[in-house]
PDB file of all heavy atoms in Angstrom:
ATOM      1  N   VAL L1508      53.758  53.655 -47.270  1.00 95.00           N
ATOM      2  CA  VAL L1508      55.192  53.311 -47.349  1.00 95.00           C
ATOM      3  C   VAL L1508      55.366  51.958 -46.673  1.00 95.00           C
ATOM      4  O   VAL L1508      54.704  51.621 -45.740  1.00 95.00           O
ATOM      5  CB  VAL L1508      55.930  54.410 -46.643  1.00 95.00           C
ATOM      6  CG1 VAL L1508      55.696  54.494 -45.114  1.00 95.00           C
ATOM      7  CG2 VAL L1508      57.478  54.313 -46.911  1.00 95.00           C
ATOM      8  N   PHE L1516      60.221  55.317 -41.240  1.00 96.00           N
ATOM      9  CA  PHE L1516      58.774  55.598 -40.681  1.00 96.00           C
ATOM     10  C   PHE L1516      58.337  56.983 -41.193  1.00 96.00           C
ATOM     11  O   PHE L1516      59.166  57.893 -41.104  1.00 96.00           O
ATOM     12  CB  PHE L1516      58.781  55.510 -39.119  1.00 96.00           C
ATOM     13  CG  PHE L1516      59.002  54.118 -38.653  1.00 96.00           C
ATOM     14  CD1 PHE L1516      59.194  54.008 -37.266  1.00 96.00           C
ATOM     15  CD2 PHE L1516      59.039  53.037 -39.344  1.00 96.00           C
ATOM     16  CE1 PHE L1516      59.365  52.693 -36.652  1.00 96.00           C
ATOM     17  CE2 PHE L1516      59.222  51.735 -38.902  1.00 96.00           C
ATOM     18  CZ  PHE L1516      59.426  51.547 -37.548  1.00 96.00           C
ATOM     19  N   ASN L1531      50.745  32.924 -40.023  1.00 88.00           N
ATOM     20  CA  ASN L1531      49.653  32.211 -40.692  1.00 88.00           C
ATOM     21  C   ASN L1531      48.336  32.582 -40.005  1.00 88.00           C
ATOM     22  O   ASN L1531      47.424  31.716 -40.138  1.00 88.00           O
ATOM     23  CB  ASN L1531      49.917  30.798 -40.733  1.00 88.00           C
ATOM     24  CG  ASN L1531      50.013  30.164 -39.319  1.00 88.00           C
ATOM     25  OD1 ASN L1531      50.185  30.904 -38.432  1.00 88.00           O
ATOM     26  ND2 ASN L1531      49.988  28.817 -39.197  1.00 88.00           N
ATOM     27  N   GLY L1533      46.244  35.024 -40.735  1.00 93.00           N
ATOM     28  CA  GLY L1533      45.303  35.655 -41.624  1.00 93.00           C
ATOM     29  C   GLY L1533      45.217  37.119 -41.492  1.00 93.00           C
ATOM     30  O   GLY L1533      44.199  37.795 -41.686  1.00 93.00           O
ATOM     31  N   LEU L1547      45.236  45.026 -51.210  1.00 91.00           N
ATOM     32  CA  LEU L1547      46.061  46.058 -50.681  1.00 91.00           C
ATOM     33  C   LEU L1547      47.147  45.532 -49.734  1.00 91.00           C
ATOM     34  O   LEU L1547      48.331  45.908 -49.961  1.00 91.00           O
ATOM     35  CB  LEU L1547      45.058  46.919 -49.651  1.00 91.00           C
ATOM     36  CG  LEU L1547      45.761  48.196 -49.158  1.00 91.00           C
ATOM     37  CD1 LEU L1547      46.087  49.265 -50.323  1.00 91.00           C
ATOM     38  CD2 LEU L1547      44.826  48.937 -48.189  1.00 91.00           C
ATOM     39  N   ALA L1570      36.353  56.698 -39.446  1.00 91.00           N
ATOM     40  CA  ALA L1570      37.815  57.139 -38.985  1.00 91.00           C
ATOM     41  C   ALA L1570      38.689  57.355 -40.158  1.00 91.00           C
ATOM     42  O   ALA L1570      38.520  56.662 -41.107  1.00 91.00           O
ATOM     43  CB  ALA L1570      38.284  56.115 -37.984  1.00 91.00           C
ATOM     44  N   LEU L1612      46.194  42.312 -31.563  1.00 97.00           N
ATOM     45  CA  LEU L1612      46.829  41.029 -31.601  1.00 97.00           C
ATOM     46  C   LEU L1612      45.849  39.921 -32.221  1.00 97.00           C
ATOM     47  O   LEU L1612      44.686  39.720 -31.629  1.00 97.00           O
ATOM     48  CB  LEU L1612      47.285  40.471 -30.309  1.00 97.00           C
ATOM     49  CG  LEU L1612      47.795  39.118 -30.210  1.00 97.00           C
ATOM     50  CD1 LEU L1612      49.054  38.871 -31.055  1.00 97.00           C
ATOM     51  CD2 LEU L1612      48.118  38.712 -28.758  1.00 97.00           C
ATOM     52  N   LEU L1613      46.157  39.338 -33.446  1.00 97.00           N
ATOM     53  CA  LEU L1613      45.237  38.361 -34.082  1.00 97.00           C
ATOM     54  C   LEU L1613      45.593  36.964 -33.549  1.00 97.00           C
ATOM     55  O   LEU L1613      46.820  36.695 -33.388  1.00 97.00           O
ATOM     56  CB  LEU L1613      45.418  38.500 -35.503  1.00 97.00           C
ATOM     57  CG  LEU L1613      45.153  39.861 -36.108  1.00 97.00           C
ATOM     58  CD1 LEU L1613      45.270  39.711 -37.716  1.00 97.00           C
ATOM     59  CD2 LEU L1613      43.925  40.478 -35.625  1.00 97.00           C
ATOM     60  N   ILE L1636      50.647  50.204 -23.559  1.00 96.00           N
ATOM     61  CA  ILE L1636      50.133  50.231 -24.955  1.00 96.00           C
ATOM     62  C   ILE L1636      48.768  49.563 -25.020  1.00 96.00           C
ATOM     63  O   ILE L1636      48.656  48.439 -24.616  1.00 96.00           O
ATOM     64  CB  ILE L1636      51.173  49.568 -25.874  1.00 96.00           C
ATOM     65  CG1 ILE L1636      52.430  50.189 -26.005  1.00 96.00           C
ATOM     66  CG2 ILE L1636      50.679  49.402 -27.316  1.00 96.00           C
ATOM     67  CD1 ILE L1636      53.518  49.459 -26.569  1.00 96.00           C
ATOM     68  N   ARG L1679      32.953  38.344 -43.501  1.00 96.00           N
ATOM     69  CA  ARG L1679      32.958  39.593 -43.049  1.00 96.00           C
ATOM     70  C   ARG L1679      32.338  39.781 -41.683  1.00 96.00           C
ATOM     71  O   ARG L1679      31.618  40.748 -41.353  1.00 96.00           O
ATOM     72  CB  ARG L1679      32.138  40.524 -44.050  1.00 96.00           C
ATOM     73  CG  ARG L1679      32.850  40.577 -45.440  1.00 96.00           C
ATOM     74  CD  ARG L1679      32.334  41.720 -46.283  1.00 96.00           C
ATOM     75  NE  ARG L1679      32.529  42.969 -45.597  1.00 96.00           N
ATOM     76  CZ  ARG L1679      33.732  43.642 -45.559  1.00 96.00           C
ATOM     77  NH1 ARG L1679      34.760  43.118 -46.247  1.00 96.00           N
ATOM     78  NH2 ARG L1679      33.844  44.846 -44.945  1.00 96.00           N
ATOM     79  N   SER L1700      45.851  64.452 -28.467  1.00 86.00           N
ATOM     80  CA  SER L1700      46.732  65.275 -29.274  1.00 86.00           C
ATOM     81  C   SER L1700      46.374  66.725 -29.416  1.00 86.00           C
ATOM     82  O   SER L1700      47.176  67.587 -29.182  1.00 86.00           O
ATOM     83  CB  SER L1700      46.856  64.611 -30.605  1.00 86.00           C
ATOM     84  OG  SER L1700      47.349  63.373 -30.589  1.00 86.00           O
TER      85      SER L1700
END
Side-chain angles (χ1 to χ4, degrees):
V1508 66
F1516 291 172
N1531 59 348
L1547 184 67
L1612 175 62
L1613 304 185
I1636 298 171
R1679 299 196 59 79
S1700 296

